[in-house]
Amino acid sequence: MKSFSQLLIGVFLAFGIAVSAHAQAPFKKAEDAIKYRQSALFVMAQHFGRIGPVVKGERPYNKDEVAKNAAVAEQMSKLPWDGFVAGTDKGDTDAKPEIWSDAAKFKSAAEKMQQEMSKLADAANGGDLNAIKAQFGATGKACKACHDDFRKKK
Ligand code: ASC
């Protein structure tokens, strides 16, 4: 049977682990949160951007290629948001303070972009180039809308 002091040590250990996990969850440093969200958005933009020449007719349409790019972009679209940790409008970032002061609007803009990116992935899987073209435009609008309101102009 465990002694009271052993139980007490157990409780303190569990609490200590919970506290340290919280301190690290999900980022150890503000810079990591900024780098994380920028990285996800960068990879997303790379794969979204690769579909651009196809919808403009500058590159032959290949269904698998577009579907793969759209799938990666869709996955990436889900990631940046927990990187917008409170207080990380300082440092190496173009994030506007409105992200935090108008959080509901930012959330809905972020959700809109994810929905449009998912619709693009669906269209890409469908294989109808005209539908892909239309949805590529709609998705780009959602990217831009969020930048207009929440990203500092360079
Ligand atoms: C892109 C990209 C964006 C959006 C935006 C759409 O390819 O990198 O941020 O499209 O420019 O207006």
Side-chain angles (χ1 to χ4, degrees):
M1 203 179 117
K2 283 195 170 72
S3 70
F4 180 70
S5 61
Q6 277 177 319
L7 274 177
L8 213 56
I9 287 165
V11 167
F12 277 117
L13 276 177
F15 184 71
I17 287 163
V19 166
S20 64
H22 177 76
Q24 294 176 14
F27 302 103
K28 288 183 189 168
K29 299 180 283 185
E31 302 94 274
D32 289 352
I34 293 170
K35 205 194 269 187
Y36 178 87
R37 70 201 189 209
Q38 289 176 345
S39 301
L41 289 164
F42 177 77
V43 173
M44 183 181 77
Q46 289 292 302
H47 287 269
F48 177 74
R50 287 177 195 178
I51 302 170
V54 178
V55 302
K56 284 190 226 151
E58 296 165 3
R59 180 177 170 82
Y61 173 53
N62 176 297
K63 186 186 169 188
D64 286 350
E65 179 193 280
V66 171
K68 276 185 196 165
N69 283 321
V72 174
E74 183 193 19
Q75 282 305 311
M76 289 305 115
S77 77
K78 302 173 198 294
L79 300 182
W81 318 112
D82 68 0
F84 288 92
V85 175
T88 57
D89 58 329
K90 314 274 183 306
D92 190 10
T93 177
D94 297 319
K96 281 190 180 178
E98 284 80 356
I99 289 170
W100 295 275
S101 63
D102 202 350
K105 188 177 175 190
F106 180 66
K107 186 168 187 274
S108 88
E111 283 171 358
K112 172 77 173 161
M113 187 280 278
Q114 291 171 78
Q115 284 161 10
E116 297 293 359
M117 205 59 85
S118 288
K119 285 192 201 168
L120 181 62
D122 290 345
N125 286 329
D128 174 350
L129 183 55
N130 282 325
I132 294 166
K133 280 183 190 170
Q135 188 52 41
F136 184 84
T139 306
K141 266 190 193 170
C143 301
K144 186 176 182 300
C146 204
H147 291 162
D148 288 348
D149 289 337
F150 297 107
R151 185 172 70 172
K152 283 177 194 151
K153 311 276 177 289
K154 298 204 182 175

